Amino acid sequence: MKVYELRRAPNARRVRMFLAEKGVDMVYEQVDLGGGENLSPAFLAKNPVGRIPVLALDDGSYLSESVAICRYFEELYPENNLFGTTALERAQIEMWSRFIEFNLWLPAGMAFRHITGFYKDRENCFPEWGQECKQLANQWFAKLEERLQVSAYIAGDRFTIADILAICAIDFAARTLELHIADEQTALKRWYDAVSSRPSAQA
């Protein structure tokens, strides 16, 4: 198996962190998003929406979307469970993962695209909308502070896929949008330091 990715991309980091938590070794091939390699016919044959990461399976088929790839490896390697072990825990992890996806990662990604114009050669950019998305993403730092005042981790009392999604989004927002955890957000900072200290965070 092999993963097509761009190392600095947050969606690719999600998969790397997940596989590191599982102890799964993987071959990675870099894709030049800025140069449009992901829009080439060869890449679109692997993923018709032209995004990374993409997992190439040994039978010649492909899986796309970072969480779908993580779910596949959760089924293959159920130990060190990261998606939940009971019906309620799985639902809670899914709920918080969706919160992160729609309220932190998506607006941060839109802010990056529209403010920086990174993909201006292939999409219309609206800087004002980018600034609005940046503020929407920033609001979720406060939401996470509230959550982590009563919970050790995003979805409960242990590390899960929801924490991977959150730290990848927060680090991306810091690097590209200069959105940072505020000094008064002590619970969020406590969580961030704990998750950042895990070996998988360096994957």
Side-chain angles (χ1 to χ4, degrees):
M1 291 187 285
K2 176 168 63 175
V3 170
Y4 294 88
E5 63 150 26
L6 178 64
R7 185 165 182 82
R8 68 176 181 271
N11 279 336
R13 186 187 179 203
R14 293 170 166 188
V15 172
R16 288 198 311 275
M17 279 192 70
F18 191 90
L19 293 181
E21 289 285 338
K22 292 287 187 179
V24 176
D25 292 327
M26 182 57 60
V27 175
Y28 295 94
E29 182 172 322
Q30 301 303 298
V31 178
D32 181 8
L33 298 187
E37 182 182 355
N38 56 308
L39 302 178
S40 68
F43 190 86
L44 291 174
K46 300 175 178 68
N47 179 3
V49 298
R51 296 174 183 164
I52 52 94
V54 175
L55 172 66
L57 298 166
D58 291 338
D59 65 359
S61 62
Y62 299 93
L63 275 177
S64 303
E65 297 298 319
S66 58
V67 176
I69 293 170
C70 292
R71 285 189 182 277
Y72 175 72
F73 282 104
E74 179 88 340
E75 294 295 323
L76 290 182
Y77 304 98
E79 295 304 317
N80 189 22
N81 174 278
L82 295 170
F83 274 94
T85 59
T86 67
L88 178 58
E89 189 186 33
R90 285 192 292 271
Q92 290 170 330
I93 292 169
E94 180 73 10
M95 176 183 74
W96 279 101
S97 294
R98 300 280 282 181
F99 284 163
I100 297 299
E101 292 267 50
F102 286 108
N103 298 289
L104 180 56
W105 161 240
L106 182 60
M110 290 297 99
F112 166 72
R113 296 171 78 122
H114 286 276
I115 292 172
T116 68
F118 187 81
Y119 296 116
K120 63 183 178 181
D121 62 328
R122 64 200 75 167
E123 67 182 15
N124 294 322
C125 295
F126 302 95
E128 297 85 357
W129 171 237
Q131 292 294 339
E132 176 67 17
C133 288
K134 180 177 178 178
Q135 293 306 311
L136 292 173
N138 190 46
Q139 290 172 14
W140 259 78
F141 283 65
K143 295 283 189 182
L144 291 177
E145 169 66 16
E146 293 177 6
R147 168 60 176 169
L148 291 164
Q149 287 176 2
V150 298
S151 181
Y153 292 93
I154 298 294
D157 61 2
R158 70 183 182 92
F159 180 87
T160 69
I161 182 70
D163 298 287
I164 293 176
L165 302 181
I167 195 169
C168 290
I170 287 172
D171 282 346
F172 177 75
R175 176 167 56 88
T176 64
L177 301 171
E178 297 186 356
L179 288 180
H180 301 284
I181 297 170
D183 290 341
E184 63 270 20
Q185 292 171 340
T186 56
L188 180 56
K189 184 65 164 59
R190 181 266 309 160
W191 166 86
Y192 179 84
D193 290 344
V195 175
S196 296
S197 69
R198 299 177 75 89
S200 66
Q202 309 308 314

